[in-house]
Amino acid sequence: RIHVKGAMTPMFTVYKLDRPTRVVIDVPRSRLSEALAGHEAATELVPNTWAVSRITAQQLDDDGPLVRVSVTLARPGRYEVTTEGNEIVVAVT
């Protein structure tokens, strides 16, 4: 499970990309926290678990502020994206 915490209940879109298989979450009208925003291209986390090989978060400002979170799957699997309060929760199985 991956938790993306926000300041308020998130509005977001989710889609899947292939090669490599990724779950992408776009959160419009949002900004990365100060701790993550200092990186030039994207913040990258490498949990290297059975289900997830990499998580990236980046700030985009083309048509207004947007945070894009990309979860790269380590192998074919299923995923579910839900909200819990102010968090987006990605469950990968």
Side-chain angles (χ1 to χ4, degrees), residues 4-11 27-30 84-88:
V4 180
K5 190 173 188 174
M8 62 180 125
T9 303
M11 305 266 300
V27 187
R29 297 185 306 269
S30 60
E84 291 179 6
N86 292 349
E87 295 183 338
I88 298 170

Side-chain angles (χ1 to χ4, degrees), residues 2-4 6 10 14 19 21 27 32 40-41 50 53 59 62-63:
I2 299 153
H3 294 258
V4 180
V14 177
R19 295 187 192 117
T21 303
V27 187
L32 283 175
E40 286 191 25
W50 181 86
S53 61
Q59 181 71 53
D62 296 338
D63 295 324

Side-chain angles (χ1 to χ4, degrees), residues 11-76:
M11 305 266 300
F12 59 93
T13 56
V14 177
Y15 53 96
K16 182 181 170 190
L17 296 174
D18 292 316
R19 295 187 192 117
T21 303
R22 307 179 297 286
V23 178
V24 180
I25 304 152
D26 284 344
V27 187
R29 297 185 306 269
S30 60
R31 294 251 174 233
L32 283 175
S33 71
E34 291 287 324
L36 299 176
H39 301 278
E40 286 191 25
T43 298
E44 181 175 274
L45 304 169
V46 185
N48 203 21
T49 66
W50 181 86
V52 175
S53 61
R54 183 173 48 173
I55 303 165
T56 59
Q58 65 185 131
Q59 181 71 53
L60 303 172
D61 289 308
D62 296 338
D63 295 324
L66 177 127
V67 171
R68 176 168 290 155
V69 177
S70 179
V71 178
T72 304
L73 303 185
R75 59 186 37 81

